[in-house]
């Protein structure tokens, strides 16, 4: 009975450790931050918006991923890469 209670209490947390954090900032070529840019991580289709300072953060699964960033009036940025630990990136969008 004790082992069943232990499993029920701690099993849900074991899956959380399998995610890593990817964070960054979105700017334009003039180093101006782009607030509320649309950020999508594929293949999991995780979506977020940058905050008013252009910062964003997502929890993703380790491995190969593609980030796609779009902002009205700018070219869409797309880059594929592999991540195995917490990562910080800078995104520069071209008008």
């Amino acid at each position: 009975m004790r082992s069943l209670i232990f499993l029920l209490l701690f099993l849900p947390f074991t899956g959380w450790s399998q995610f890593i954090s990817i964070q960054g900032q979105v700017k334009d070529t003039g180093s101006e931050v782009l607030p509320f840019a649309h950020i999508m991580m594929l293949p999991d289709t995780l979506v977020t918006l940058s905050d008013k300072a252009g910062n964003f953060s997502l929890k993703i699964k380790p491995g190969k991923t593609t980030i796609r960033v779009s902002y009205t009036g700018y070219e869409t940025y797309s880059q594929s890469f592999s991540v195995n630990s917490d990562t910080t990136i800078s995104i520069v969008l071209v008008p």
Side-chain angles (χ1 to χ4, degrees):
M1 183 65 174
R2 277 188 156 166
S3 59
L4 178 61
I5 293 172
F6 177 81
L7 284 175
L8 291 175
L9 288 175
F10 293 102
L11 190 58
F13 297 107
T14 60
W16 289 31
S17 64
Q18 297 175 4
F19 288 89
I20 57 173
S21 174
I22 185 162
Q23 58 188 355
Q25 188 175 46
V26 183
K27 295 182 177 184
D28 68 8
T29 54
S31 296
E32 293 294 322
V33 297
L34 296 176
F36 313 111
H38 182 265
I39 296 115
M40 180 170 32
M41 301 300 293
L42 299 168
D44 296 328
T45 317
L46 300 172
V47 177
T48 192
L49 295 175
S50 61
D51 64 15
K52 64 182 178 180
N55 299 311
F56 67 92
S57 180
L58 281 167
K59 295 283 187 186
I60 64 170
K61 295 177 188 173
K64 187 170 169 115
T65 189
T66 299
I67 187 168
R68 200 169 284 160
V69 183
S70 59
Y71 193 82
T72 303
Y74 289 79
E75 293 180 19
T76 298
Y77 175 91
S78 185
Q79 179 71 43
S80 296
F81 54 96
S82 293
V83 288
N84 295 311
S85 61
D86 291 350
T87 303
T88 301
I89 60 174
S90 293
I91 307 292
V92 178
L93 298 184
V94 178

